[in-house]
Amino acid sequence: MRRRISTWDGFSRLCVAVVVSGLLLTVTGMAPAPTTAEPMPVRGSAYMGIGVLAHDGTAGRTGAVSPEERAGQTEGVDVSSYQRAVAWPTLWSAGTRWAYTKATEGTSYRNPYYDDQYEGAYDVGMVRGAYHFATPDGSSGAAQADYFVNHGGGWSGDGRTLPGALDIEWNPYGDACYGKSTSGMVTWIGDFLNRYKARTGRDAVIYTATSWWNACTGSYRGFGATNPLWVARYASSVGALPAGWSAQTMWQYTSTGQTVGDHDRFNGSADALRQFAAG
């Protein structure tokens, strides 16, 4: 009589077949194709420009800037926990005169290297400031502004402290626009900016990329009259600006610069930079 094959027997044979097939593929050099999916970043690990290369790529030459191109602009850098100990004297010797350090993200993360990085830039003579990586899907704009100010994002009119910057760009942890409608995103940004100004007396700098801004805010123009723009574009020219601004105050032009990677240019002289810092 023919024996009936139980469900368990069938499952066992399937498992054996899969294992044997895998062994054969390995022996013959025909290993299964590896997955290409990038792992989800750990919360708190985001930094300025985390989505720029993936979504905007590069256009033209990036990296070192000639003396002619530097004329009328002042070199800067931005850093986060990724850089850890920063060679500030090296950057200063190379002509870097200002720096922003990531202070916070959301309402629970503070850069553990913030104090050393922030004071290290100051100690070599740089004008320095702090930035906040926005996560609009986690808490309100006002709550994140409060957390930022309370954990390093304040401002003083000493001529050496830049106004805080809001890093608002692609969501590295999920939906590019953080699940918000364009009107919802504009409201969130406005809440952050209003609370920051109420706490510090300064209008925060907005760091963003043109393509993200126009897509996720619906090309909103309302902040251009009050908030300085820091635009991200890794190219030999600044290109089209986000809706609402006719000129940038700062430009992150590469992620492959010397010493720390991210390099920026202030749209003015070193004297103008200090005047901007003083408010």
Side-chain angles (χ1 to χ4, degrees):
M1 178 170 20
R2 199 172 198 180
R3 185 171 67 88
R4 293 180 61 191
I5 298 176
S6 69
T7 302
W8 176 253
D9 286 338
F11 178 75
S12 300
R13 291 182 183 183
L14 176 62
C15 290
V16 170
V18 169
V19 171
V20 171
S21 298
L23 290 173
L24 287 173
L25 287 171
T26 302
V27 170
T28 58
M30 297 171 59
T35 179
T36 57
E38 291 291 333
M40 184 73 72
V42 176
R43 287 275 176 176
S45 64
Y47 52 86
M48 275 189 169
I50 190 170
V52 175
L53 281 176
H55 294 87
D56 281 355
T58 62
R61 177 179 51 76
T62 61
V65 181
S66 70
E68 292 76 15
E69 289 172 308
R70 279 190 182 182
Q73 299 189 330
T74 308
E75 189 78 1
V77 295
D78 58 271
V79 298
S80 66
S81 62
Y82 179 80
Q83 282 82 11
R84 301 195 178 197
V86 178
W88 295 111
T90 300
L91 288 166
W92 179 264
S93 297
T96 305
R97 295 295 178 261
W98 59 278
Y100 268 87
T101 295
K102 179 182 176 181
T104 52
E105 178 177 326
T107 55
S108 61
Y109 174 85
R110 186 178 190 267
N111 174 9
Y113 302 96
Y114 173 78
D115 292 334
D116 288 342
Q117 292 175 340
Y118 189 74
E119 295 305 324
Y122 184 89
D123 289 344
V124 298
M126 292 185 191
V127 180
R128 85 293 195 231
Y131 79 85
H132 174 80
F133 191 93
T135 53
D137 57 345
S139 52
S140 71
Q144 293 195 25
D146 280 333
Y147 187 77
F148 178 45
V149 173
N150 293 341
H151 294 85
W155 174 79
S156 64
D158 60 359
R160 296 282 304 278
T161 306
L162 292 160
L166 174 65
D167 179 357
I168 185 78
E169 57 174 296
W170 293 276
N171 178 10
Y173 313 115
D175 175 72
C177 299
Y178 299 86
K180 291 194 172 294
S181 65
T182 55
S183 61
M185 182 63 74
V186 169
T187 298
W188 191 97
I189 295 170
D191 288 346
F192 182 100
L193 299 177
N194 290 337
R195 181 61 63 88
Y196 185 83
K197 185 168 186 179
R199 291 286 306 272
T200 67
R202 284 299 301 267
D203 288 303
V205 175
I206 295 177
Y207 167 97
T208 194
T210 299
S211 61
W212 183 91
W213 184 267
N214 291 345
C216 293
T217 73
S219 299
Y220 183 73
R221 307 181 65 86
F223 302 126
T226 53
N227 296 88
L229 171 66
W230 188 351
V231 67
R233 185 172 186 259
Y234 302 158
S236 56
S237 63
V238 71
L241 297 179
W245 285 275
S246 59
Q248 82 283 359
T249 298
M250 301 165 185
W251 169 25
Q252 187 188 60
Y253 68 90
T254 185
S255 63
T256 58
Q258 295 179 347
T259 309
V260 297
D262 288 355
H263 276 249
D264 312 88
R265 284 187 252 177
F266 176 79
N267 195 14
S269 66
D271 287 341
L273 173 68
R274 287 179 178 270
Q275 291 171 9
F276 173 69

